[in-house]
Amino acid sequence: MQDHQRPQTSSCPPDQNPPPPPPGGGGASPRISCPPPPRLRHRLCSLHFLQTRKSRLVSLHYHDKGFTKLQSPEKSILLFRQMIEHSVRPDEFTFPGVLKACSKLRALKEGEQVHAHVVKLIYGFGSTEFVENSLVYMYASCGRLKLARQVFDGMSERSVIAWSSMISGYVRCSHWQEAVGLFRKMLQIGVGFNEATLISVLTACGRLGDLELGEWIYKYVVENGLVRNDSLMTSLVDMYAKCGRVDTARDLFDIMSTRDVVAWSAMISGYSRSNRCKEALALFRDMQNANVEPNEVTMVSVLSSCAVLGALQTGEWVHSYIKKKNLKLTINLGTTLVDFYAKCGCVDRAIEMPSKNVWTWTALIQGLASNGQGKKALRYYNLMLQENVDPNDVTFIGVLCACNHAGLVDEGRSYFVSMIRDFGIEPRIEHYGCMVDVFGRVGLIEEAYEFIKNMPIKPNAVIWRTLLASCRVYRNVEIGEEALKHVVRLEPVHSGDYILLSNLYASIGRLEDATKLRNEMKMLGIKKNPGYSYIELDGIVHEFLAEDSGHPQSPEIYKAIENMMEKIKVAGYVPDKLQARLEAEEDDKEASISHHSEKLAIAFGLIRTSPGSTIRISKNLRICSDCHSATKIISKVFSREIVIRDRSRFHHFKDGSCSCNDFW
DNA sequence: TTAGGGTTAG
């Protein structure tokens, strides 16, 4: 039985009052019935028949192509138009269907025309309830929430479906707070609700992180034996995952009786959003073993996980699967593909993607910028403007990043002005951060410092950290010390900041200060976040931690490292012992550095990939400076191109140098 | 005849 055919369940609190009488004095007002004349009625029946037959034919046509259950909303609208042209009078049964078609296509203009006919013919109806519910949903689907609400507020009777239509309308337009607000109102006045209502509300709970209401619904679901409703369970899985309770989500997912593509997609997305990307890919494999066909929505989460892990081969397989199965390259999927290729260091393949909207363009601009192709990124920004696509705030983060990676100070300044002047975008802290980087990266430390002091919003730790990083490169101790003070005040336990200043001291020969700072870190109990490096081989992502011996091939890897370090030392590599673990004994410092996660991953890559092939590694933190200088030499000695993506950018190592020009 | 689950860029 369909859920909407089930009797409406009552709202949860048992002591809740029955629903008050509808505003306007109660029951439905008597309406004048006006049936169409017999001849017209016959034509109306023929059209209904034609509509049904055509829908069925279209449905079969899609089915052949691998689509199921897909109606043809375009035909529905066309037939409605023909009805009107043939002077066939639509009735209360005709409108909901055509309005649903308008909702599906988000066809506002057509929807409004239908509404005009509703107004014209309203006195011929037995009841307007279904039509008004459909109007509410049509306007909301077309993003016209105010109009939807006007229809809703003007209804003489509001059933659970009317409320649910309005709530789902809010959800469709990402107005989560309003959706939850309306649900609470429903509870307050005792309208009751059903499973469909809960599904919409759970979506809103997930987006708002409203675990309290989400859990209340979960309890209701369990107490009322609704756990067999798989759609409702999927919504619960999604809600728990979005509220950060991924393991609870997994427990619910595991007890579901049947799992369709939506349930699998929800769980995979849950892992992906929680940065548990290896689990996301593992679950994707389980999904394939369970013979559930993924769709374009599944692929968005799978590709996002591949992007985070730098899993190029798996992502490439996904891309060819998309082509093979003719999955629709939606804007979401296209954007995710652009982002995936860019994040795997293959930005040229990202360019091949059809750029469609501001998201896709932004992903491309960002990708080019982080891969060190700033000027090209700006060319694409101009191309985007030529195609009349307006940039948004995130686009400008990409544009400003492109300027700082390419050392384009004047351009950076002018884009910052253009953002406000030409597009009315108020700069956020991230935009100010980009500007500090624009100045700092070319050595304009004083200017960057002045810029921070004149910011209209309070600088955060990221801003000061950006300045500190520039001070390290340009050896500006005075402003560097000042920057660290601010950083520590704002975020007292961030190990990387101490390391930046300590390296700055070391680089100008103030070794005592460097050691003092490191000891201070030790005394304050500030520990370094564990750094992970990932490398993908034959579709399997291997993960390494510093001084890790958990890998099954660990003995071979350590042997390869020994060989690698010996060879690069001959070529001029000098280990930077300041990068060693703080608590490491003096004699162990060199070994500690040589067992950093990046080096383990590179050594593994050297022994497991064919000579001359590119080694691709991803790291969750910034690459350490010792690994950076070692990798430059490794690329030369072993004739390998090595691409390392760290948390902020790409490093393409080739012939002894790096694309970042030693600034990152 | 009307309402219901999963997706993207810093």
Side-chain angles (χ1 to χ4, degrees):
Chain A
M1 189 163 46
Q2 290 290 307
D3 295 326
H4 64 260
Q5 291 173 322
R6 289 180 193 178
Q8 286 168 7
T9 48
S10 63
S11 69
C12 199
D15 54 348
Q16 201 170 299
N17 297 322
S29 51
R31 292 175 201 281
I32 307 157
S33 175
C34 176
R39 202 160 45 91
L40 277 184
R41 194 187 294 180
H42 169 72
R43 278 172 68 181
L44 179 65
C45 290
S46 310
L47 277 165
H48 268 307
F49 175 69
L50 187 64
Q51 184 172 357
T52 320
R53 274 202 58 180
K54 282 203 171 182
S55 298
R56 210 174 287 153
L57 283 171
V58 171
S59 196
L60 280 171
H61 173 70
Y62 276 115
H63 189 78
D64 284 345
K65 281 180 157 186
F67 293 94
T68 50
K69 289 183 188 172
L70 194 68
Q71 304 296 317
S72 175
E74 293 90 351
K75 300 264 172 186
S76 202
I77 294 174
L78 203 68
L79 278 160
F80 180 79
R81 196 169 283 160
Q82 285 174 351
M83 261 181 100
I84 300 297
E85 279 166 10
H86 288 85
S87 308
V88 182
R89 187 189 169 94
D91 65 7
E92 74 221 62
F93 297 100
T94 324
F95 285 117
V98 69
L99 285 169
K100 192 178 187 177
C102 296
S103 307
K104 261 195 178 162
L105 296 172
R106 295 170 198 264
L108 178 64
K109 219 173 117 197
E110 287 77 4
E112 280 174 336
Q113 284 168 0
V114 176
H115 192 176
H117 285 289
V118 170
V119 173
K120 213 165 85 185
L121 301 169
I122 199 155
Y123 291 110
F125 288 3
S127 159
T128 51
E129 189 194 326
F130 280 65
V131 181
E132 283 173 312
N133 289 343
S134 307
L135 278 169
V136 168
Y137 190 65
M138 181 276 294
Y139 278 121
S141 299
C142 296
R144 294 292 192 277
L145 279 174
K146 272 193 183 160
L147 288 173
R149 190 62 198 244
Q150 258 175 32
V151 177
F152 177 78
D153 286 340
M155 287 172 78
S156 55
E157 288 170 73
R158 291 187 207 96
S159 66
V160 170
I161 294 186
W163 286 82
S164 304
S165 300
M166 194 63 233
I167 290 176
S168 89
Y170 279 130
V171 168
R172 287 193 76 147
C173 296
S174 313
H175 284 230
W176 323 114
Q177 204 80 57
E178 285 89 340
V180 167
L182 206 60
F183 178 63
R184 291 194 189 277
K185 183 100 180 162
M186 270 179 103
L187 295 183
Q188 212 179 14
I189 63 175
V191 186
F193 55 79
N194 62 21
E195 285 137 279
T197 328
L198 295 180
I199 286 170
S200 289
V201 176
L202 281 169
T203 309
C205 290
R207 296 291 182 159
L208 291 169
D210 190 343
L211 188 59
E212 203 185 333
L213 181 57
E215 294 215 288
W216 182 85
I217 294 175
Y218 172 65
K219 217 174 139 205
Y220 178 86
V221 168
V222 172
E223 282 171 1
N224 290 276
L226 302 176
V227 287
R228 293 203 152 270
N229 180 338
D230 289 324
S231 299
L232 190 50
M233 285 296 276
T234 303
S235 293
L236 281 164
V237 165
D238 176 58
M239 181 278 295
Y240 274 114
K242 288 213 175 73
C243 289
R245 298 266 297 270
V246 191
D247 295 318
T248 311
R250 181 61 194 258
D251 290 342
L252 292 184
F253 176 80
D254 286 340
I255 59 163
M256 282 174 71
S257 52
T258 48
R259 300 172 200 97
D260 65 0
V261 60
V262 181
W264 284 95
S265 303
M267 196 60 236
I268 292 172
S269 141
Y271 280 129
S272 169
R273 292 171 73 103
S274 314
N275 222 8
R276 287 166 63 170
C277 296
K278 281 191 80 174
E279 283 156 287
L281 294 188
L283 196 65
F284 177 58
R285 272 181 217 113
D286 292 345
M287 180 181 178
Q288 288 172 291
N289 292 335
N291 289 320
V292 180
E293 289 252 330
N295 63 14
E296 54 274 4
V297 179
T298 325
M299 291 318 198
V300 169
S301 296
V302 173
L303 278 169
S304 296
S305 300
C306 292
V308 171
L309 296 169
L312 180 62
Q313 291 158 23
T314 307
E316 279 176 329
W317 178 87
V318 170
H319 192 182
S320 52
Y321 186 93
I322 289 166
K323 286 184 190 160
K324 197 174 96 190
K325 294 277 177 181
N326 252 328
L327 294 186
K328 202 176 162 200
L329 201 63
T330 56
I331 287 185
N332 281 346
L333 187 54
T335 305
T336 312
L337 266 167
V338 168
D339 184 54
F340 157 72
Y341 277 120
K343 288 213 170 103
C344 287
C346 305
V347 75
D348 292 336
R349 298 196 51 188
I351 294 170
E352 292 166 18
M353 293 297 126
S355 300
K356 290 228 174 85
N357 71 354
V358 62
W359 286 68
T360 326
W361 283 103
T362 300
L364 183 58
I365 292 166
Q366 201 101 50
L368 285 163
S370 64
N371 276 279
Q373 302 188 34
K375 285 185 179 159
K376 204 168 182 178
L378 297 178
R379 282 207 295 280
Y380 275 92
Y381 170 72
N382 287 316
L383 213 59
M384 172 185 154
L385 296 186
Q386 277 169 29
E387 296 208 358
N388 293 319
V389 178
D390 273 349
N392 64 19
D393 53 341
V394 185
T395 316
F396 275 104
I397 291 174
V399 167
L400 296 174
C401 273
C403 292
N404 71 44
H405 286 304
L408 304 167
V409 183
D410 292 337
E411 285 84 347
R413 272 202 200 99
S414 101
Y415 282 120
F416 191 77
V417 172
S418 161
M419 172 174 86
I420 307 161
R421 186 193 55 204
D422 305 330
F423 300 98
I425 298 167
E426 201 56 43
R428 286 186 283 116
I429 194 93
E430 290 88 346
H431 297 103
Y432 286 104
C434 288
M435 285 310 289
V436 172
D437 220 12
V438 165
F439 295 127
R441 221 162 257 259
V442 293
L444 296 169
I445 307 289
E446 297 280 352
E447 196 155 354
Y449 188 36
E450 284 305 309
F451 183 83
I452 295 176
K453 286 199 282 191
N454 292 320
M455 273 171 58
I457 45 178
K458 203 171 163 251
N460 62 10
V462 179
I463 299 276
W464 290 112
R465 189 171 296 129
T466 306
L467 181 66
L468 177 58
S470 303
C471 292
R472 180 189 70 90
V473 175
Y474 290 98
R475 298 176 182 181
N476 188 324
V477 178
E478 199 185 327
I479 298 180
E481 283 174 335
E482 183 69 17
L484 182 70
K485 262 189 227 159
H486 286 286
V487 174
V488 171
R489 182 173 51 83
L490 293 162
E491 260 178 31
V493 278
H494 197 298
S495 61
D497 307 316
Y498 282 89
I499 293 167
L500 275 173
L501 187 61
S502 150
N503 286 348
L504 167 55
Y505 284 137
S507 67
I508 54 164
R510 284 168 59 175
L511 291 177
E512 260 182 42
D513 286 323
T515 317
K516 211 171 113 188
L517 204 60
R518 290 246 163 181
N519 287 336
E520 201 178 308
M521 261 180 86
K522 209 170 168 180
M523 271 168 54
L524 291 168
I526 300 170
K527 282 188 184 146
K528 226 176 154 273
N529 285 335
Y532 289 94
S533 292
Y534 303 98
I535 179 169
E536 186 196 35
L537 285 174
D538 304 324
I540 306 287
V541 177
H542 300 258
E543 182 181 272
F544 293 96
L545 196 66
E547 299 176 63
D548 188 0
S549 53
H551 194 277
Q553 280 182 278
S554 202
E556 282 172 69
I557 297 168
Y558 276 84
K559 217 172 178 181
I561 283 203
E562 234 174 84
N563 170 42
M564 182 174 89
M565 299 313 280
E566 249 172 56
K567 283 195 172 149
I568 62 171
K569 265 189 187 169
V570 175
Y573 160 77
V574 181
D576 176 5
K577 290 187 187 171
L578 270 170
Q579 302 292 326
R581 251 186 313 118
L582 286 175
E583 67 275 18
E585 296 296 329
E586 195 54 38
D587 294 348
D588 296 334
K589 280 196 184 329
E590 196 177 324
S592 161
I593 308 162
S594 65
H595 299 153
H596 275 178
S597 67
E598 298 93 315
K599 295 195 185 87
L600 290 169
I602 293 172
F604 183 61
L606 283 174
I607 55 170
R608 286 286 306 269
T609 59
S610 47
S613 62
T614 303
I615 295 175
R616 296 175 188 276
I617 286 163
S618 310
K619 200 187 168 191
N620 64 337
L621 305 176
R622 278 165 31 122
I623 181 173
C624 94
S625 59
D626 182 78
C627 285
H628 194 266
S629 47
T631 310
K632 282 197 287 184
I633 304 173
I634 295 168
S635 73
K636 194 175 173 128
V637 171
F638 291 86
S639 305
R640 291 286 195 121
E641 200 177 328
I642 301 171
V643 182
I644 300 187
R645 185 190 81 197
D646 72 10
R647 66 182 295 169
S648 63
R649 61 172 302 150
F650 276 89
H651 301 266
H652 292 259
F653 296 94
K654 202 179 170 184
D655 290 331
S657 61
C658 177
S659 62
C660 78
N661 291 321
D662 301 336
F663 195 120
W664 69 94

